[in-house]
Amino acid sequence: MTTASTADPSARTAPPPSMRLRELVFGAACAAALRAAARLGVADALGDSPLSVTDLAAAVKTEPKPLRRLLRALSCYGVFAEREDGAFAHTDMSRLLREDDPNSLRHITLWCTEPWTWDAWPLLDEAVRTGGNVVQDLYGKEFFQYLNEDAPASADVFNRAMTTSSMQSARDVAQLLDLSGSKSVADIGGGQGHVVASLLEKYPTMHGSLLDLPRVVENADPRLRKGGALADRMRIVPGDVREAVPVHADVYVIKNILEWDDESTARTLRNVIEAGGPGTRVVVIENLVDDTPSMRFSTAMDLLLLLNVGGAKHTTQSMVSRLTEAGLVIDNISPVNPYLHAFDCMVPA
């Protein structure tokens, strides 16, 4: 039995290499277990007090025996903890699967285990061999076109996951950026606009713009839409940043979107530079694979980007190369938080 005191994997003696490799090749089982727990709402049903499997099964409408097996597997990774009496309790990680947790990773968990991922991962060798994405061959169309046209449920999960991530980092971005003296800011590919909303709250006289796909911006942060607290200083623009940036601003913020193939990244930067013109400030914010406390996560996401869009997470040097090749001058590189870095750039005169 896995007890609360031994549920933390770090508390156990490290397995020998042969067993560790066996554990790794069953990584899909762990991902599937997390997805199942998120879809069943197990973390939401489990409150502050431990529950028996019978009561928990009744709450989430499952059979008790297979639910115990699911929880037993997850408790080996520190997600939920089994007590001596057989009841299960929350751990710091399992609470992150709750919908109402302020740092919830429920939608991220679902996004990283969506049905298309199970089609794509087995073809990783082909992606490594060719350097291109596999989604085009799998579904006959570009990834985001596939999501929006053929897998709208997955598209919704993606949007919720990106919204969660953006909400959790938006205030860090606003705290870092000093936009004193700037009259306007544009959030490029900014999803529902949490970053620009946080910046407008910080600077009460500043005007903002949000540019993203029509399906995304129609669900923009309520603060930015008609009747919202920031609406009178806000312009919402539907469009594809890779095709055009019909927005002029003093400062452009580009967060976590320059992970496509090189041509898409270059087109986006070119569009921003053309829209802003000489002297415009461009702040690019990205996760990096060479300066992060979680290399396992960031390198896994790097491989997922290879599979779906032929893109990549950046190293500091690869990001610098993309920005300078586009014609930007980098003034400063600084951490936003432990997971994000900001590249503060200018369009030269």
Side-chain angles (χ1 to χ4, degrees):
M1 178 182 296
T2 305
T3 65
S5 62
T6 60
D8 182 356
S10 64
R12 296 181 282 126
T13 302
S18 60
M19 183 52 66
R20 181 61 184 142
L21 184 58
R22 286 183 171 91
E23 292 174 353
L24 288 173
V25 298
F26 270 107
C30 181
L34 286 165
R35 179 176 179 81
R39 284 170 59 85
L40 291 168
V42 178
D44 297 289
L46 182 58
D48 292 332
S49 300
L51 278 181
S52 69
V53 171
T54 300
D55 289 341
L56 199 50
V60 299
K61 297 180 173 57
T62 67
E63 290 296 319
K65 287 184 179 179
L67 180 61
R68 177 182 292 280
R69 293 164 66 181
L70 176 69
L71 293 173
R72 181 178 60 198
L74 288 170
S75 68
C76 293
Y77 295 92
V79 183
F80 303 105
E82 187 176 2
R83 297 165 58 90
E84 291 289 351
D85 61 2
F88 282 87
H90 268 305
T91 62
D92 289 344
M93 276 200 289
S94 64
R95 289 184 187 279
L96 297 175
L97 292 176
R98 289 184 61 93
E99 185 82 35
D100 61 359
D101 190 277
N103 298 307
S104 176
L105 296 177
R106 181 177 185 273
H107 295 302
I108 298 294
T109 299
L110 292 173
W111 167 241
C112 293
T113 56
E114 276 295 282
W116 68 268
T117 67
W118 303 95
D119 292 338
W121 278 122
L123 302 175
L124 181 58
D125 60 326
E126 181 64 20
V128 170
R129 186 177 295 113
T130 65
N133 77 74
V134 301
V135 165
Q136 189 81 31
D137 290 336
L138 274 173
Y139 304 121
K141 53 186 68 175
E142 181 262 346
F143 179 65
F144 286 105
Q145 182 184 4
Y146 160 73
L147 278 189
N148 287 294
E149 294 179 358
D150 299 342
S154 274
D156 288 339
V157 170
F158 172 76
N159 291 333
R160 287 195 294 270
M162 295 305 101
T163 295
T164 297
S165 178
S166 180
M167 288 176 66
Q168 291 170 355
S169 60
R171 294 200 178 277
D172 291 336
V173 172
Q175 183 176 358
L176 171 75
L177 295 184
D178 181 0
L179 303 189
S180 303
S182 299
K183 295 181 180 179
S184 58
V185 60
D187 195 355
I188 302 301
Q192 295 181 332
H194 299 292
V195 169
V196 69
S198 293
L199 289 168
L200 293 187
E201 287 181 336
K202 181 179 179 180
Y203 296 99
T205 63
M206 182 174 285
H207 285 72
S209 299
L210 170 65
L211 171 63
D212 212 318
L213 296 173
R215 195 169 185 273
V216 177
V217 296
E218 69 183 13
N219 295 310
D221 188 310
R223 292 172 292 176
L224 306 177
R225 286 183 271 152
K226 185 177 181 179
L230 304 171
D232 62 340
R233 294 189 284 129
M234 190 64 203
R235 179 187 174 207
I236 297 177
V237 183
D240 187 335
V241 299
R242 293 170 297 178
E243 295 179 1
V245 176
V247 175
H248 181 77
D250 297 332
V251 182
Y252 292 81
V253 177
I254 310 173
K255 179 177 173 291
N256 283 135
I257 66 168
L258 298 183
E259 300 170 339
W260 298 304
D261 60 279
D262 289 350
E263 175 54 30
S264 294
T265 294
R267 285 205 314 271
T268 299
L269 289 172
R270 184 166 61 246
N271 291 340
V272 169
I273 291 171
E274 289 177 356
T280 301
R281 184 178 176 188
V282 179
V283 182
V284 174
I285 299 170
E286 290 287 341
N287 302 103
L288 301 174
V289 292
D290 60 346
D291 191 4
T292 171
S294 185
M295 283 291 285
R296 290 179 183 177
F297 171 75
S298 57
T299 54
M301 285 299 298
D302 179 54
L303 294 177
L304 193 63
L305 285 166
L306 172 62
L307 288 173
N308 64 0
V309 295
K313 288 285 185 183
H314 288 284
T315 63
T316 302
Q317 187 53 53
S318 69
M319 191 74 258
V320 167
S321 296
R322 299 300 185 281
L323 297 175
T324 54
E325 287 168 6
L328 291 167
V329 176
I330 301 172
D331 291 333
N332 185 48
I333 303 172
S334 56
V336 176
N337 57 32
Y339 306 97
L340 291 170
H341 281 71
F343 295 75
D344 210 332
C345 312
M346 293 291 292
V347 179

